[in-house]
Amino acid sequence: MPDTKRHRYNVFKWIAGTLLGIFIVLAGLAWFLNIKSRPVLSNRIKTLLYKSTDSLYTITFTKVTTNVFTGNATLQNVKITPDNNRFKQLIALKRAPNNLYSISLKKLVVKHFHPLTLYREKKLQVEEVIFDKPEVTMVNQQFPFNEGRAPRPIKSPYDIISKNLKEFSIKTIRFKDVSFKYVNKNVPNSLPFDIDDLNITLTDLLVDSTSADDPKRFYLLKDIMINLNNYVYRTPDKMYDIKLDQLDFRATTGKLRVNRFALVPLYDEMKFGRVAGYPRERFDIGMRNIMLNGIDLPLYISKQELWAKEMAISNGFISVFNQNGLPKKPQENKIGKFPHQLLQLLKAPILVQKIELKDINVTYSVFNQESNQRGRISFENTSGIIKNATNLDNIKAINPIMEVNLNTYLFGQGKLDVNFNFNLTAKDGEFSYSGVLHNFNARVLNQITKPLGLVRINRGNVDKLKFNFKANDFGAKGRVSFSYYDLSVALMKNDPEKDHLVTRGFLSFLANALIIKSENPGADGKLNAVDVDYSRPSNTSFFNLIWKSLFTGIKYSIGITEEKQKEVRQHIARFKAMRASHNLRVKKRLERRLQRQREQHEKR
């Protein structure tokens, strides 16, 4: 072999041998450090958790594996459990937290924990901790001594760990695919709440000499992010599914966003009531964008009180359907179930200062057994503002009114501006509503007047419908001003042989001739406003009360009053008597004619 080639070969051989030797030394050192570091790391983890939680929590795991080169560690079969005796002691010392957690998982991964920094500088710095598919139980019990406390530990964890560590930090803590159970100990016999596939990310956990007093941190963290995808919850009555397409929350911004929310009935319109066994209202709700701003996360964590500055809901629909004619539910009573009353019954304390609605379509439908048809009223492109949505006593003491201001379009045509004022403290469900419905073609009302009122509007134009009511659990009183012209109607009835509604010709003639006012104001130019005193049946809903009270005012305005209907009934009775008398005379004449014919025949 030439000298040059032999020299190169010796150099490569020397380099390869040196690298192999270094690798063998490093591998042996890594093996030694891994074996030696495991007991130290295990002991540090257990001590750190125990001391930093004021001796409340302990951690156990069956196995720990480490890799010094990557700075990774894995704990198998992990359980973090609270000490109930210590919890009782902390209650007595008024240092107990409101929430008690139990966590179990098969694997906990610690990435890049920098062992040399731990050994040399007594700083346990971790890049990432992953809780993979943990099962978490949170038990909430609110203690008076925690009222008004800042969102940070009662006792600084640094005082507890300072003998062993100068610093403990984790850049990212991930809870992936969490199975979460919430137990509310503040409400007797409350059922636990379960949720699966929850993802939680905690960022920049820091325990050092200053972090506990840092106002930009809460619970020693810089941020908390929560994500939930494709969540489905079946209601206890097995009549609905609640669906969330995607939920995202970030604590630093206080913003929560739901991509899509739906309340999905499990049965179609006509089957829903039959399954329920009574004419129960069926709700079908879908919202594409829901945003909450200014959520107070520390308050929610400590007391499960949801406080938010703003809420925005857009691009959705609410559809309500009721099937009349089904057997009434025994002792069915909807008293105390207006929207603001249901808000007060929520077990979760809530305050949303302002709710903004945009482009929501609302439909209320009823199947009428008499007409065998479905009546429908719709309010399209509904937008507006709701203020002071709350069930908190201290807030209601300052402002007891929930105000709702909406603008919408009746059947997509007539513009409706409506205002509600709900008294949140009234025991009888007191609220008021007023509004103005602007000009539209009256024939669009046939969608509800024909099936439910058996009245068809042949023609008519509405200039304005103004209303102002005060209502409670038992009914509504108010005034309706209905301005219209060129009105003509036809009264209908169901014809089983023809399987559809037919016109009652003579009654329609009487109605238009004797009852219906074709215009308001009349020839004298005076607008006839009517007073309404509507008594609410105890088994009817909020929507029904609004609809029936307005419909009563409209009927009275066009002349269909009790007095006029009595007058028509008298006309009908006289007409029937006249027709019966006429028929009787005709019958007698026929009988006399037949008698004469028989007598003449006998004479022959």
Side-chain angles (χ1 to χ4, degrees), residues 29-97:
L29 180 61
W31 176 84
F32 176 79
L33 289 176
N34 278 339
I35 296 299
K36 292 295 184 180
S37 67
R38 288 172 192 171
V40 175
L41 182 62
S42 298
N43 184 61
R44 287 289 173 91
I45 291 173
K46 292 178 180 179
T47 301
L48 179 64
L49 181 68
Y50 183 73
K51 290 187 175 181
S52 63
T53 60
D54 206 356
S55 307
L56 181 57
Y57 290 97
T58 58
I59 183 171
T60 61
F61 40 88
T62 57
K63 184 180 178 181
V64 57
T65 58
T66 59
N67 187 314
V68 173
F69 283 138
T70 61
N72 294 346
T74 302
L75 284 67
Q76 304 286 346
N77 301 314
V78 180
K79 288 188 177 181
I80 300 174
T81 54
D83 184 334
N84 290 321
N85 290 328
R86 179 57 178 166
F87 187 61
K88 292 177 182 178
Q89 294 174 358
L90 292 175
I91 293 174
L93 295 170
K94 297 184 178 182
R95 297 210 307 261

Side-chain angles (χ1 to χ4, degrees), residues 13 64 266 372 379:
K13 184 177 179 181
V64 57
L266 300 180
N372 200 34
F379 302 93

